[in-house]
Amino acid sequence: MKILLLYYKFLYKKFYATPLVKIGATGKGVTSILFFLPQEKTFAQVISHFIKRNNNNASLRFKYVVHQESLILYQDIPSSDTITYTDNDINWFGVIKSKMVIDRIGNEGFDALVDLNQSYDQSLSLLSFQLKIPIKVGFQSPISHQLYSIVVQPKKDSFLESNYQIIEKVLGIS
């Protein structure tokens, strides 16, 4: 995984200008958010509640990247808002290799990326190197400072919901 991280880090250096997105009261804030959803059932139950609550906000546009087999865990998401991938879209290292999936994600013009994977063995997270999204939010991991512009350190003695509420507050969607 470390060799793969180094490869992606050097391959997808920032050769483009990152547009400025102001989240505060005087800025326009985020209007479109891309979520990477985990495959684990234990996290999916809490995330489904988080997603259902955010779908009530009509001023924001959400898209979700999820594995085809895990789609059943997220029944509250409309099919028009999901971008799915299968095992055929993943290379030997476990990274998404399908150009079609990457183009569907990259052509949307998102203001923020939120990686909701909390386990360390999530190669979907490496996809964030390839996407030109100015704000990238993810949870603390050994490689999180390489992947994200905002790193959330989960509290060990709190509920999973509080970790997602931190992300809502940071992006101003609560």
Side-chain angles (χ1 to χ4, degrees):
M1 192 67 166
K2 289 181 182 180
I3 293 171
L4 192 60
L5 173 66
L6 285 172
Y7 173 75
Y8 271 77
K9 184 177 178 181
F10 291 117
L11 184 66
Y12 296 105
K13 286 184 180 180
K14 293 186 177 183
F15 293 118
Y16 57 90
T18 305
L20 181 64
V21 177
K22 295 182 181 178
I23 301 174
T26 58
K28 74 170 189 154
V30 296
T31 57
S32 59
I33 303 171
L34 176 68
F35 287 96
F36 287 167
L37 301 178
Q39 295 181 10
E40 296 92 352
K41 186 176 182 178
T42 56
F43 294 123
Q45 293 170 344
V46 176
I47 292 172
S48 290
H49 176 68
F50 171 73
I51 290 169
K52 190 186 311 181
R53 201 172 70 220
N54 285 334
N55 281 340
N56 295 334
N57 193 340
S59 64
L60 298 174
R61 183 175 59 91
F62 299 105
K63 286 282 186 177
Y64 305 92
V65 179
V66 62
H67 193 281
Q68 182 70 37
E69 293 175 3
S70 301
L71 195 57
I72 194 163
L73 301 173
Y74 302 101
Q75 295 176 355
D76 294 326
I77 302 174
S79 61
S80 62
D81 291 342
T82 59
I83 299 170
T84 59
Y85 62 97
T86 63
D87 289 336
N88 295 333
D89 298 322
I90 298 174
N91 66 13
W92 185 78
F93 293 109
V95 179
I96 294 180
K97 66 174 180 175
S98 173
K99 182 86 168 125
M100 187 174 71
V101 173
I102 295 169
D103 287 344
R104 276 193 296 166
I105 294 169
N107 291 335
E108 296 287 334
F110 295 101
D111 294 329
L113 163 72
V114 178
D115 188 353
L116 295 175
N117 293 299
Q118 291 191 36
S119 62
Y120 295 138
D121 190 25
Q122 291 294 334
S123 51
L124 175 63
S125 302
L126 291 176
L127 186 60
S128 66
F129 274 123
Q130 300 177 35
L131 301 175
K132 297 175 184 176
I133 299 175
I135 300 171
K136 297 177 183 176
V137 181
F139 289 101
Q140 177 71 38
S141 73
I143 62 172
S144 61
H145 295 290
Q146 305 293 324
L147 299 172
Y148 312 117
S149 54
I150 300 172
V151 177
V152 176
Q153 186 170 9
K155 296 179 182 177
K156 293 180 173 131
D157 58 342
S158 68
F159 295 107
L160 287 174
E161 293 89 350
S162 63
N163 297 331
Y164 301 126
Q165 290 172 346
I166 291 171
I167 294 171
E168 286 178 331
K169 288 178 184 175
V170 166
L171 294 178
I173 58 175
S174 59

